[in-house]
Amino acid sequence: MTGAEAAGPTGATAGVTDHGGGVWSIPVPIPDNPLGHTLVHLLDTDRGPVLVDTGWDDPTAWDTLVSGLAACGTSVSDVHGVLITHHHPDHHGLSAQVRDVSGAWIAMHAADAEVVRRTREAEPTRWLDYLAVKLAAAGAPEEHLAPLRAARAAGRTDALPGRRAAQPDRHITPGELLDLAGRRLRAIWTPGHTPGHVCLHLEEAHPAAGEGLRGHGRLFSGDHLLPEISPHIGLYEDPDDATVTDPLGDYLDSLERIAALDPAEVLPAHQYAFTDAPGRVRALLHHHEERLAGLRALLLGAPLTPWQLAEAMEWNRPWAEIPYGSRNIAVSEAEAHLRRLVKQGRAEPVPGTDPVAYQAV
């Protein structure tokens, strides 16, 4: 179902998969990441090739993208446009370099474009201050906060991600057909993983439709719908906005919208292409309901801060083995689940606690 690997100029496959109907995928490596790679998709149009995501900003990733495009019979200089499913660096990282070489336009949902703008323009030290305050409010111990304060005092801000991310020059409007000559590609807003995450529904008949494949077209799903893992759902971070968002609620609602599309095949940004999107959605909805019930059970035992809840949650490794930066992500995910439980009336903050602890209702 995932097509055949395409041979490059020298006969090597370069890892590229031809999905048929003018669609290819190129696995672009992510440095030091267990996901391994981002699947950058190439969509042929009457005005030239368009990329769905670009991969991490890294020399090896760039070389892989270049060789992958050559295996598809094209080049970076031929790229007409870049569609970004969401702003994360493993998807948007190489966009500026692609635009520099080709002059391609870059399109992204307005909510994620705002994240890019804010990240590029903000003083780096402000993000460290915000993160330290946020983690302290979540109950992080002093030994976790100390490195942030030390980095702030020493001015060590060069390693913060997103500072070089390209500002998009077009916005992806949800529900509308994108202006791609000779193709029918519709944007579906799927917030949750990020506030402006989009899936892209190729509404044309699947090349294997005549072989009895059920469903409607194909879906470039970014990180929203993956075959074996659930994407990270954390809080939407904005130091200037105190709005109480519900990212997990957004994600669950977005899953329902994708199930209703019932695409014949899903082309995700990680792992591999798969079918039966409604079945995968059902499994993810069940997973998150089980997880919410499990977290509420933890809160029945005793009130917990978000940090304490993250320590007690089940991850892919014991808490003691989770790296420093990943603990920040885990706490954000715990907070997103707490927000959902509070909104559902299944948990509430304990009055007078500082940092705020939560209890089951």
Side-chain angles (χ1 to χ4, degrees):
M1 188 58 63
T2 57
E5 288 189 329
T10 63
T13 63
V16 171
T17 299
D18 183 351
H19 296 274
V23 177
W24 294 262
S25 62
I26 303 168
V28 176
I30 311 171
D32 303 319
N33 190 296
L35 281 174
H37 58 259
T38 300
L39 290 171
V40 173
H41 290 94
L42 172 64
L43 178 66
D44 194 21
T45 82
D46 291 346
R47 294 195 191 106
V50 169
L51 297 181
V52 178
D53 294 332
T54 58
W56 193 277
D57 183 5
D58 173 79
T60 300
W62 173 255
D63 291 345
T64 303
L65 179 62
V66 169
S67 63
L69 288 171
C72 297
T74 187
S75 67
V76 176
S77 61
D78 292 330
V79 173
H80 171 61
V82 177
L83 296 164
I84 300 299
T85 61
H86 61 295
H87 71 82
H88 287 164
D90 57 323
H91 297 257
H92 185 41
L94 288 173
S95 300
Q97 201 164 344
V98 170
R99 181 165 61 187
D100 288 345
V101 172
S102 65
W105 47 260
I106 301 173
M108 180 186 290
H109 188 282
D112 273 20
E114 173 59 20
V115 175
V116 172
R117 183 203 63 77
R118 188 170 66 240
T119 303
R120 285 172 58 94
E121 296 178 1
E123 286 294 327
T125 52
R126 190 173 184 212
W127 171 250
L128 291 174
D129 291 339
Y130 168 76
L131 189 58
V133 170
K134 178 179 174 298
L135 286 167
E142 179 57 34
E143 58 265 26
H144 188 84
L145 300 174
L148 286 173
R149 293 174 177 150
R152 170 66 168 86
R156 297 197 304 271
T157 59
D158 291 343
L160 289 175
R163 300 286 295 166
R164 294 173 32 173
Q167 184 70 45
D169 36 55
R170 298 186 183 186
H171 286 166
I172 295 175
T173 302
E176 290 189 358
L177 282 173
L178 300 175
D179 183 18
L180 301 181
R183 309 307 300 241
R184 286 188 60 86
L185 188 68
R186 193 177 301 277
I188 312 297
W189 184 35
T190 51
H193 185 54
T194 70
H197 191 290
V198 293
C199 293
L200 302 165
H201 187 207
L202 190 60
E203 297 181 339
E204 305 153 16
H206 193 287
E211 302 170 14
L213 182 67
R214 60 171 292 278
H216 310 288
R218 290 181 279 183
L219 185 78
F220 300 103
S221 66
D223 280 3
H224 183 69
L225 194 63
L226 303 170
E228 294 180 355
I229 57 178
S230 176
H232 164 69
I233 309 296
L235 297 186
Y236 303 145
E237 308 289 3
D238 184 352
D240 297 322
D241 189 350
T243 303
V244 179
T245 58
D246 181 16
L248 183 54
D250 291 344
Y251 178 67
L252 299 177
D253 290 344
S254 299
L255 283 176
E256 300 275 14
R257 287 200 292 277
I258 293 305
L261 287 178
D262 192 18
E265 186 176 30
V266 179
L267 302 174
H270 302 289
Q271 299 189 305
Y272 51 85
F274 64 100
T275 58
D276 191 17
R280 181 60 183 143
V281 166
R282 288 192 297 272
L284 284 165
L285 292 173
H286 178 70
H287 161 76
H288 282 287
E289 180 49 44
E290 280 196 328
R291 196 168 206 201
L292 286 167
L295 298 184
R296 183 178 179 276
L298 289 172
L299 298 178
L300 282 171
L304 297 173
T305 66
W307 182 276
Q308 291 169 329
L309 189 63
E311 287 181 309
M313 290 169 69
E314 183 176 341
W315 304 103
N316 60 0
R317 69 191 89 177
W319 181 260
E321 298 176 12
I322 295 178
Y324 181 90
S326 297
R327 290 189 179 192
N328 297 339
I329 295 172
V331 172
S332 182
E333 188 154 328
E335 290 182 295
H337 281 76
L338 280 169
R339 291 243 180 122
R340 178 96 288 248
L341 286 171
V342 170
K343 188 168 184 178
Q344 292 176 329
R346 300 161 74 184
E348 63 184 10
V350 178
T353 53
D354 183 20
V356 178
Y358 291 80
Q359 61 189 1
V361 175

